[in-house]
Amino acid sequence: MTNPISYRRATIEDVLAICELGQILNASHHLARPDIYVHATTEFSRDEPHWLCSLQGEDRATFLAELSGKAVGFITIQVVKPMSPLLHPMVVGRIGSVAVSEPFRGRGVGSSLLKLAEEWARKQGALDIRLAVWEFNQQALSLYRELGYEIRAFEMGKRIRTTEGDSPE
């Protein structure tokens, strides 16, 4: 009998496990967009300041998927209330990052993490869930569509300057 995957809210003590899993995101993002994202590293503690903010504060949460006490996936979410006279006032859940170890993809881990985040946001008063996903991330796009997420807007970009200060041409 195999051990089932368990899910729980992450704590600050989980930050290094999240940093390690975060290398999945670093690697795929760097591969597709090395002009924007730094490479993955075995010195994953370098990313601790980035992930700590997802673990601190009443308006945010991180959830872990674990197998036999080892983290195999995580999701970050924050609730926000955009303020504008042009928008209906509403609390919105914003998913920041989702990562699942390769051997556990296609086994419902990502779906379960998304559902946990949605339920947490609902309890915080959120009426809507939003996230951003890169076009190159077809696996994530498929999962989000399966779970009822829809494309609402496109973010477009254009490099106008290299890091050295020259034009990109």
Side-chain angles (χ1 to χ4, degrees), residues 16-36:
L16 289 180
I18 293 165
C19 288
E20 185 173 8
L21 282 169
Q23 299 313 303
I24 297 165
L25 302 173
N26 291 1
S28 66
H29 286 78
H30 177 73
L31 181 65
R33 294 304 309 256
D35 57 317
I36 298 173

Side-chain angles (χ1 to χ4, degrees), residues 81-84 86-92 127:
K81 188 173 184 180
M83 302 300 281
S84 169
L86 304 177
L87 299 173
H88 290 290
M90 75 168 70
V91 178
V92 175
L127 300 174

Side-chain angles (χ1 to χ4, degrees), residues 96-161:
S97 296
V98 183
V100 176
S101 294
E102 187 68 42
F104 297 92
R105 292 187 189 160
R107 294 173 52 182
V109 175
S111 297
S112 294
L113 287 167
L114 282 156
K115 289 173 186 170
L116 272 172
E118 290 171 11
E119 183 59 30
W120 178 84
R122 189 177 297 111
K123 288 179 181 174
Q124 307 310 305
L127 300 174
D128 200 48
I129 296 285
R130 300 177 188 165
L131 56 82
V133 59
W134 281 94
E135 184 179 26
F136 65 79
N137 196 343
Q138 291 299 311
Q139 192 172 22
L141 281 164
S142 294
L143 172 63
Y144 300 146
R145 284 187 182 116
E146 277 179 34
L147 295 175
Y149 288 77
E150 61 190 8
I151 295 174
R152 295 183 178 169
F154 293 99
E155 178 180 298
M156 298 177 74
K158 175 183 173 183
R159 288 188 62 89
I160 59 170
R161 192 175 153 163

Side-chain angles (χ1 to χ4, degrees), residues 11-91:
T11 67
I12 290 174
E13 289 77 29
D14 297 310
V15 71
L16 289 180
I18 293 165
C19 288
E20 185 173 8
L21 282 169
Q23 299 313 303
I24 297 165
L25 302 173
N26 291 1
S28 66
H29 286 78
H30 177 73
L31 181 65
R33 294 304 309 256
D35 57 317
I36 298 173
Y37 291 97
V38 298
H39 60 83
T41 179
T42 56
E43 299 295 324
F44 49 82
S45 63
R46 138 197 106 175
D47 301 341
E48 190 171 333
H50 174 79
W51 296 114
L52 271 175
C53 68
S54 299
L55 295 163
Q56 299 170 317
E58 296 291 319
D59 64 340
R60 60 199 70 206
T62 299
F63 294 94
L64 282 180
E66 295 179 310
L67 179 65
S68 301
K70 176 159 176 51
V72 298
F74 76 92
I75 190 168
T76 65
I77 186 163
Q78 181 176 13
V79 288
V80 295
K81 188 173 184 180
M83 302 300 281
S84 169
L86 304 177
L87 299 173
H88 290 290
M90 75 168 70
V91 178

